[in-house]
Amino acid sequence: MENSTFDTTNCSNLIHELLQKQRQIETEFEIDLNRSIIEEEETNCFGDEFVPIFNNPDNADEAIDNADEAIENAENAIHNAENQVVPDKSIDSNSEQTTKSDATEDTNPIDAYGLDLRGSFVGVVRETFEEILELYEKHAAILGFAIRKHTTRFKQHTKIVTEKNYVCSAEGKRHSGQKKTKLVEMVDEEDVNVKTRKPRQVSITRSNCKACIRAKVNKEGQFEVVAHVIQHNHELTKPQWHYLHRSERKMTEEKVVTIKTMKSSGLTTMDTYNYMATEAGGEQNIGHSVVDHLNFCSRLRMEQIEAGDAQTLVNILSQEQLEDPNFFFRVKFDKEGKICNIFWRDSMMLEDYRIYGDVLVFDTTYRTNRYNLICAPFVGINNHWHNCMFACAFIGDETTDSFVWLLQTFFKAMEDRKPTSIFTHQDQAMANDIMEVIPNTRHRLCIWHLEQNAITRFGALKKDKEFKFAFNQCLKMCVTEQEFEAKWQAMLQKYELTEHSWYKRVYELKDKWCPALCRDFFSAGILSSQRSESTNHAIGFRASKATTLTEFYTIFKKITNRWRSTEKYDEFTCSKSIAFTSLPLSGMLKHAAQVFTLSLFRNFEEEFGYSMATTVQMLGSNEECLLYQVTLEDKP
């Protein structure tokens, strides 16, 4: 029980309405016979829960008795109005002693106009039907049921709303037509070879509930509630489940802005939901469910590509060109007029290529997008020994035409500057195209890709640690050609791989990957295993098979901006600090500390330390040269 303020004027109005309805009951009885019967409840007192039971009486006499009893209760209520309290009644249909105070512990039942949100709204006037809907939503939230929009009436030949109806979500009956029956019959349980989709089983949520509210435009042009049925024919929702009602789950503008901001920062959909739940103090306080969150993010994603994913990307690139005059992009169409290749680079990438374009890493092994297009990033190494992006492209296939178009477009965008060396994966078509487009550039294979391919060829040797060590010695550790040949042949003979076709093919390409045979040109350390893996995994770790082109471009820009931020930090650190070394900083080491960045100085310091520990022995001489042997202790 809870006490509430009682309004004597409202009580008198309702008594007057009861007397009018009493005269109409007999004429309405025949019409109401065809309607569903609403379960009657005896009203012991006239309070906040009182609703006249005259909509669907079993017979006229019983309805009149109920009306008389209601009038008597109302008179008693007026008599008790001096005490300003009215007894309240439980709204739970179960035998549990659940009071209305339980359902409204966190909700104020009195609105700003002094209206009791738990009672009838008949006669309530608002300026717009949105205010009527908001009022009914508060009413539903307090009592514990969900609502939905129903019929809307307009002024003839206009779009001016004259009437609005909102109903309980359990209004109406479940449609049980032939479609659902036929859908179930499609499932052939006897023939297991026939794979048919299992029909969706939807629970019944409609109980033909008559609870509703109807608002019409009055003479003053305002919306007035002309009918409000409060009684439900189903159990109301427990307070702890109210937040699950569909009508109480809304995606507000503030939430939209927050989600978009978090998504643009790279958070996944579930990360954004978990963050909002934590900030709100639990899922029940967010105001929408996880399904609503997933659906919104899905719609947000579809909005980005509704005009066509490839076309949307082209539009983005065009906008980039307007903001950056030196931005360069090209699009190639196939015979059917569809986009098959896209290439782009910005002005900063051109500047980086002018400085660090000696070595180019070109990889076409990524297919991390929903269309299975090949992502081809052009990556280089800066003076801090970190990745820098030169350009990126999407190509539809790995044919000669695609590779030739891509390489020609790249060098056109880069002022026709050719690199000293280019590193790619093991692809013969690409090797032929490189020889055609840039014949004077040294083509080498990326050790990381070669190592990954080798793992798939190991077979039973994959668990043999000695074999893996021997293979890595040949792949990375050989200093001279004689050393490589000796270790390679020893490995093939020991593990009986002499006739293995893959190892034969790799050996034929040794000039393109063996470090001992590639010491006559600059490779920025990519031939060592230290650089290759991070370069080739530059982008792939963020994208997936479901990534759209526009989403990939967003990921690409974030990665590029992160690399540039890292470069700025490295430049700042080098300008504000001096390399520390355990060796005396004098002579050659001092000069190296002045001209090298901190990252490169560490590598030079290591090599310098080895040189100090070597033993030099003169082996012989002739008229043209002197021959020395430089060795380290305990190493041949």
Side-chain angles (χ1 to χ4, degrees):
M1 288 293 185
E2 72 172 357
N3 295 333
S4 59
T5 304
F6 185 82
D7 192 339
T8 306
T9 304
N10 288 341
C11 186
S12 300
N13 291 338
L14 285 171
I15 293 174
H16 179 69
E17 182 180 349
L18 280 172
L19 292 174
Q20 289 181 335
K21 289 295 182 180
Q22 184 176 354
R23 301 186 188 99
Q24 300 174 7
I25 284 177
E26 292 192 18
T27 57
E28 291 180 354
F29 172 69
E30 293 182 0
I31 298 175
D32 288 340
L33 285 177
N34 295 327
R35 299 178 183 174
S36 60
I37 300 175
I38 299 180
E39 192 176 312
E40 295 181 358
E41 259 184 63
E42 288 189 2
T43 308
N44 297 324
C45 61
F46 183 76
D48 299 326
E49 273 296 302
F50 173 72
V51 181
I53 311 297
F54 49 77
N55 290 330
N56 293 297
D58 289 336
N59 52 66
D61 294 335
E62 186 179 356
I64 293 172
D65 293 338
N66 290 337
D68 291 337
E69 185 179 355
I71 294 172
E72 183 180 355
N73 292 334
E75 292 174 349
N76 295 332
I78 294 173
H79 178 72
N80 295 329
E82 298 175 356
N83 298 326
Q84 298 293 314
V85 294
V86 179
D88 195 11
K89 184 175 71 67
S90 172
I91 62 171
D92 198 341
S93 60
N94 294 334
S95 60
E96 301 175 3
Q97 296 180 352
T98 305
T99 63
K100 188 176 291 182
S101 60
D102 295 329
T104 61
E105 58 182 359
D106 296 325
T107 307
N108 186 6
I110 308 299
D111 74 347
Y113 296 92
L115 178 66
D116 191 343
L117 298 176
R118 298 167 297 184
S120 175
F121 294 160
V122 175
V124 173
V125 178
R126 293 291 185 268
E127 293 295 330
T128 62
F129 65 85
E130 287 88 355
E131 294 182 49
I132 298 293
L133 174 59
E134 183 180 356
L135 192 64
Y136 197 44
E137 286 176 344
K138 293 179 180 179
H139 171 78
I142 290 176
L143 296 187
F145 67 95
I147 66 173
R148 55 186 173 86
K149 297 178 181 179
H150 203 248
T151 56
T152 301
R153 298 186 187 277
F154 300 88
K155 189 176 181 180
Q156 192 173 8
H157 305 304
T158 67
K159 293 186 178 181
I160 300 175
V161 177
T162 60
E163 182 179 325
K164 271 284 186 179
N165 291 269
Y166 303 101
V167 298
C168 173
S169 62
E171 184 270 344
K173 294 182 179 180
R174 170 76 171 271
H175 176 68
S176 57
Q178 295 181 354
K179 290 184 177 180
K180 288 185 173 58
T181 305
K182 289 183 178 179
L183 188 61
V184 174
E185 291 175 351
M186 287 172 58
V187 181
D188 190 353
E189 297 181 354
E190 296 180 358
D191 191 351
V192 294
N193 295 322
V194 178
K195 295 182 179 179
T196 55
R197 185 176 180 180
K198 185 178 180 180
R200 183 184 177 190
Q201 303 295 335
V202 182
S203 302
I204 298 176
T205 58
R206 303 288 179 90
S207 62
N208 201 24
C209 181
K210 297 299 182 181
C212 65
I213 190 171
R214 181 159 61 99
K216 296 181 67 174
V217 177
N218 58 19
K219 294 180 181 180
E220 288 76 21
Q222 298 175 316
F223 281 86
E224 181 178 353
V225 178
V226 296
H228 184 191
V229 179
I230 300 180
Q231 189 173 10
H232 297 262
N233 65 353
H234 56 87
E235 181 181 354
L236 298 178
T237 308
K238 294 181 179 180
Q240 62 267 30
W241 298 337
H242 284 190
Y243 75 97
L244 297 174
H245 287 148
R246 181 175 295 182
S247 57
E248 297 187 39
R249 307 193 316 253
K250 293 183 179 180
M251 195 63 65
T252 62
E253 187 64 31
E254 293 79 6
K255 294 179 186 177
V256 170
V257 173
T258 302
I259 294 173
K260 287 183 177 180
T261 302
M262 289 191 289
K263 290 289 289 182
S264 63
S265 301
L267 294 179
T268 65
T269 300
M270 284 308 301
D271 285 341
T272 61
Y273 180 78
N274 293 333
Y275 174 80
M276 294 180 70
T278 303
E279 285 291 311
E283 295 183 3
Q284 69 276 10
N285 299 324
I286 297 180
H288 64 270
S289 67
V290 63
V291 176
D292 298 330
H293 197 92
L294 294 172
N295 289 340
F296 172 78
C297 292
S298 177
R299 289 193 301 270
L300 188 66
R301 186 174 177 227
M302 292 306 298
E303 288 175 2
Q304 299 173 351
I305 60 174
E306 61 182 358
D309 194 18
Q311 184 60 49
T312 302
L313 178 58
V314 172
N315 295 340
I316 294 174
L317 297 178
S318 299
Q319 185 63 34
E320 294 274 11
Q321 194 173 48
L322 292 176
E323 299 173 359
D324 181 2
N326 289 326
F327 189 90
F328 181 95
F329 79 96
R330 288 291 184 271
V331 179
K332 183 181 179 181
F333 298 88
D334 58 16
K335 296 180 180 179
E336 298 177 356
K338 297 180 181 180
I339 296 176
C340 59
N341 297 338
I342 303 177
F343 171 90
W344 72 91
R345 68 112 180 103
D346 61 24
S347 56
M348 184 62 70
M349 294 176 187
L350 174 61
E351 188 65 27
D352 287 338
Y353 185 76
R354 288 171 179 168
I355 302 172
Y356 310 119
D358 307 76
V359 177
L360 177 64
V361 179
F362 177 48
D363 188 12
T364 60
T365 59
Y366 302 125
R367 290 182 182 267
T368 49
N369 55 80
R370 68 186 302 178
Y371 311 107
N372 206 32
L373 291 176
I374 301 167
C375 174
F378 293 83
V379 182
I381 309 298
N382 63 20
N383 58 334
H384 299 282
W385 222 34
H386 290 153
N387 294 328
C388 62
M389 189 68 70
F390 292 151
C392 193
F394 282 113
I395 56 178
D397 52 48
E398 294 183 280
T399 61
T400 297
D401 291 340
S402 295
F403 283 141
V404 170
W405 176 87
L406 185 56
L407 290 173
Q408 289 176 344
T409 304
F410 174 79
F411 292 118
K412 181 179 180 180
M414 297 302 180
E415 303 172 339
D416 205 32
R417 296 171 181 262
K418 305 298 192 299
T420 302
S421 55
I422 182 171
F423 290 82
T424 68
H425 61 92
Q426 189 176 346
D427 187 278
Q428 188 59 42
M430 185 184 297
N432 296 335
D433 299 335
I434 290 173
M435 289 296 296
E436 177 184 344
V437 179
I438 42 176
N440 296 326
T441 298
R442 299 289 292 269
H443 178 213
R444 291 295 178 264
L445 299 179
C446 178
I447 287 183
W448 184 82
H449 279 120
L450 194 63
E451 188 175 15
Q452 296 304 307
N453 290 336
I455 292 175
T456 62
R457 309 286 178 170
F458 283 171
L461 296 173
K462 187 179 294 186
K463 297 181 180 180
D464 193 326
K465 294 183 179 180
E466 292 185 1
F467 170 75
K468 286 184 177 181
F469 178 79
F471 183 81
N472 285 326
Q473 285 287 317
C474 298
L475 196 63
K476 307 171 186 177
M477 304 301 179
C478 294
V479 178
T480 63
E481 183 177 0
Q482 294 78 8
E483 181 186 2
F484 166 75
E485 292 290 348
K487 290 185 176 181
W488 183 266
Q489 295 300 327
M491 180 190 70
L492 295 183
Q493 293 176 4
K494 180 178 180 180
Y495 297 99
E496 300 179 354
L497 299 172
T498 306
E499 302 300 324
H500 197 289
S501 59
W502 186 83
Y503 290 94
K504 283 184 177 181
R505 187 166 65 254
V506 170
Y507 180 76
E508 292 172 357
L509 297 172
K510 62 181 180 179
D511 291 337
K512 292 189 175 184
W513 59 265
C514 180
L517 305 178
C518 303
R519 296 187 176 277
D520 58 334
F521 70 97
F522 180 65
S523 67
I526 294 180
L527 279 174
S528 67
S529 61
Q530 298 165 317
R531 283 300 323 162
S532 56
E533 182 173 355
S534 60
T535 302
N536 285 281
H537 268 141
I539 296 178
F541 75 98
R542 291 300 304 274
S544 66
K545 290 294 183 182
T547 305
T548 64
L549 300 184
T550 50
E551 289 173 337
F552 185 93
Y553 183 75
T554 303
I555 294 173
F556 171 82
K557 287 199 67 175
K558 289 178 182 178
I559 292 174
T560 304
N561 290 335
R562 188 175 71 247
W563 288 0
R564 290 172 180 173
S565 297
T566 302
E567 184 178 2
K568 289 179 182 179
Y569 179 78
D570 291 338
E571 292 288 348
F572 170 79
T573 304
C574 288
S575 66
K576 297 295 182 180
S577 58
I578 301 174
F580 172 79
T581 174
S582 56
L583 300 174
L585 196 61
S586 59
M588 184 186 299
L589 205 59
K590 183 177 181 180
H591 179 66
Q594 294 173 350
V595 297
F596 286 158
T597 61
L598 295 178
S599 300
L600 295 182
F601 178 78
R602 298 302 174 202
N603 297 333
F604 177 81
E605 181 188 16
E606 183 180 358
E607 293 292 329
F608 185 82
Y610 279 124
S611 68
M612 295 297 98
T614 56
T615 301
V616 181
Q617 181 181 1
M618 183 175 180
L619 299 181
S621 64
N622 55 30
E623 295 179 356
E624 297 180 356
C625 65
L626 299 174
L627 181 61
Y628 293 90
Q629 183 183 35
V630 183
T631 59
L632 285 168
E633 291 185 10
D634 301 328
K635 290 189 177 182

